[in-house]
Amino acid sequence: MEDFASSAPDILRAEHICKAFADKQVLRDVNVRLAPGELVCILGVSGVGKTTLFNILSGLLPPDSGDVLLADEDGSMKSIAGETGHLSYMLQKDMLLPHKTIQDNVALPLLLKGMKKADARREALRYFDRFGLAGCQQKYPVQLSGGMRQRAALLRTWLCGNRVALLDEPFSALDTLTRTAVQEWYLQVMEEIRMSTLFITHDVDEAILLSDRIYIMKGSPAAMTDELRIPTPRPRDRDYMLSEEVLALKRQIRELIG
């Protein structure tokens, strides 16, 4: 795999991760790195092992071998393998609690950190306008569209306060038009919050539109076989997706995926 080492120090690294379930090897020598403020996509077909990797990075699963390293405030790297709570993790489903208002759903990470309910609600409300949720605080999840629910879930993920977020295909359940609108909004908000992000997708266009770098994950057992840097910096618009640069990238990615 070609090395695109950044001049910025890594905030997260996965080194030589291997994982098997019973007698089936799922991950083989997987290596991933993420720099502060980066948005890096992991692109691969459904079922290749992307979510298993995220479960290991988040501490929900221990690796059989290898390590997960997170930068301390002083820049030194410490192992977090098998430990939860260090990274924010947003699953494919928004996981909003149906019996709670959007404001209380979003405020949950602050409550779990020990903040009083009134303070947590007030703190969460400060960000509703930035995340396109103004006026939704007293509504319930069933009253919101899929796109608005994903915005609420993303705000809740951000309020966890961790410096790194793992997003597992957060837009895959949305219809095409809603997905396009949410992707464009997401590019704008990412420029503001600068949250270092690993993003799973199996959509080539989405990976090119959103990310700074793309890892290609394939094989059985799966490994990171290739890495590409997107030449044009974020944020990118829809016209960019019609450019010759994107067409060349799509051809390259499809050849790599096979």
Side-chain angles (χ1 to χ4, degrees):
M1 181 171 71
E2 189 173 353
D3 182 17
F4 288 85
S6 168
S7 58
D10 295 337
I11 191 170
L12 179 71
R13 283 204 305 267
E15 298 183 340
H16 308 295
I17 299 295
C18 295
K19 186 66 180 178
F21 296 102
D23 59 349
K24 180 176 175 57
Q25 183 88 23
V26 177
L27 302 177
R28 173 180 54 83
D29 197 31
V30 171
N31 295 276
V32 173
R33 49 166 292 273
L34 180 70
E38 265 196 316
L39 198 162
V40 174
C41 276
I42 298 175
L43 180 65
V45 298
S46 295
V48 75
K50 302 185 297 293
T51 297
T52 297
L53 174 61
F54 266 29
N55 287 339
I56 290 172
L57 295 177
S58 66
L60 295 175
L61 281 175
D64 294 339
S65 60
D67 207 353
V68 181
L69 302 170
L70 181 68
D72 266 333
E73 296 296 339
D74 63 2
S76 62
M77 304 295 287
K78 69 172 183 179
S79 175
I80 59 167
E83 299 178 9
T84 59
H86 295 285
L87 310 181
S88 301
Y89 191 2
M90 180 174 164
L91 305 173
Q92 293 181 37
K93 295 182 179 179
D94 57 62
M95 306 298 287
L96 297 176
L97 299 176
H99 61 284
K100 288 186 176 292
T101 64
I102 298 302
Q103 186 175 11
D104 284 344
N105 264 287
V106 167
L108 275 174
L110 304 176
L111 292 172
L112 293 173
K113 291 180 179 181
M115 191 178 289
K116 293 181 179 179
K117 181 178 286 189
D119 294 336
R121 285 175 168 170
R122 187 162 45 248
E123 179 66 14
L125 192 59
R126 289 178 52 205
Y127 302 100
F128 268 55
D129 188 54
R130 179 188 293 183
F131 279 74
L133 292 166
C136 295
Q137 54 267 30
Q138 295 308 311
K139 292 185 178 180
Y140 289 85
V142 71
Q143 297 174 285
L144 296 190
S145 67
M148 296 296 281
R149 289 170 64 113
Q150 290 304 90
R151 292 181 187 220
L154 194 67
L155 174 52
R156 182 181 58 190
T157 300
W158 185 57
L159 286 177
C160 289
N162 296 316
R163 294 170 296 148
V164 177
L166 309 175
L167 307 184
D168 187 350
E169 299 195 59
F171 310 138
S172 61
L174 303 177
D175 64 78
T176 301
L177 291 178
T178 301
R179 185 172 184 167
T180 298
V182 173
Q183 286 171 342
E184 290 174 349
W185 163 81
Y186 178 70
L187 283 171
Q188 294 172 357
V189 80
M190 280 299 298
E191 289 301 301
E192 296 182 33
I193 64 177
R194 301 298 296 171
M195 184 167 59
S196 305
T197 306
L198 279 176
F199 189 108
I200 284 177
T201 185
H202 60 265
D203 185 307
V204 173
D205 283 18
E206 184 169 73
I208 294 172
L209 177 66
L210 298 180
S211 59
D212 299 304
R213 290 183 294 117
I214 298 172
Y215 284 108
I216 305 296
M217 188 175 186
K218 68 179 184 180
S220 181
M224 299 303 183
T225 58
D226 299 276
E227 181 183 359
L228 299 91
R229 183 177 295 279
I230 308 301
T232 299
R234 291 186 284 115
R236 308 175 188 108
D237 58 25
R238 287 287 156 184
D239 289 339
Y240 170 72
M241 297 304 293
L242 302 174
S243 67
E244 289 298 322
E245 178 179 291
V246 169
L247 292 176
L249 282 168
K250 289 169 75 170
R251 283 193 291 267
Q252 182 182 7
I253 289 169
R254 288 190 168 136
E255 288 175 2
L256 292 172
I257 291 177

